[in-house]
Amino acid sequence: EPEDLQKISGRTVQEWAAQFIGTPGNPYHSPFHQLTKDLAAFNAPDLTNAFGKILRIDPLGNNSPNGQYGIPSANLFASDGDANTLGEIFHSGFRYPWRASFDVATGDMYIADVGWMAEEEIDFVRAGESGKDFGWSNREGTIATPGYGGPQDN
């Protein structure tokens, strides 16, 4: 439920949720929930909150902290050994991910992420990858975030 996902971060969040249906065993068989808020507050690198992330859960599971949903073991942060990291995090480093699509032939994932001041981006995830950091708030697409970001090269 959206209310339960909002409790992951302990704050109310702007939510976009979609269910991508695949076959059991496919790494994308469970729903993804993209949560954004504080769009310029630079929370995306922080793995202790849900902001600027794509979260992956199993609605039929029960191994979450509240037992109301499952956290897939294939999520990189589900078993990283850090009790402060949210196991629900599938990928991080987004400003405002608003759409995700899959290549049906390969299972690769494409994510549209809204820029802040200068660039929009389309991010790529090869099938089976988990735990990628797409660089926000240091990077806005291929450049350093204007007035804030890191180095110019990727």
Side-chain angles (χ1 to χ4, degrees), residues 69-87:
Y69 59 91
I71 301 172
S73 61
N75 286 8
L76 180 67
F77 302 110
S79 59
D80 71 348
D82 185 342
N84 295 315
T85 302
L86 294 180

Side-chain angles (χ1 to χ4, degrees), residues 12-141:
T12 302
V13 297
Q14 176 180 343
E15 177 183 344
W16 177 82
Q19 183 169 357
F20 300 102
I21 299 171
T23 57
N26 178 308
Y28 302 119
H29 183 63
S30 63
F32 291 85
H33 297 269
Q34 298 179 359
L35 307 176
T36 60
K37 179 77 172 180
D38 303 331
L39 295 178
F42 312 115
N43 286 300
D46 182 354
L47 299 177
T48 66
N49 70 58
F51 302 110
K53 317 291 190 299
I54 293 179
L55 307 180
R56 180 168 68 165
I57 65 167
D58 176 0
L60 301 178
N62 61 7
N63 66 334
S64 65
N66 66 8
Q68 300 295 310
Y69 59 91
I71 301 172
S73 61
N75 286 8
L76 180 67
F77 302 110
S79 59
D80 71 348
D82 185 342
N84 295 315
T85 302
L86 294 180
E88 295 90 339
I89 297 172
F90 191 51
H91 298 295
S92 65
F94 299 100
R95 179 178 175 271
Y96 193 155
W98 64 276
R99 177 175 294 250
S101 297
F102 296 91
D103 181 319
V104 295
T106 65
D108 296 340
M109 181 180 186
Y110 296 86
I111 305 147
D113 192 11
V114 176
W116 185 33
M117 297 176 74
E119 290 193 2
E120 311 293 312
E121 64 187 73
I122 298 174
D123 298 308
F124 174 78
V125 179
R126 192 167 310 283
E129 288 182 321
S130 178
K132 288 186 79 169
D133 179 352
F134 288 92
W136 174 259
S137 59
N138 288 319
R139 312 277 315 150
E140 181 178 352

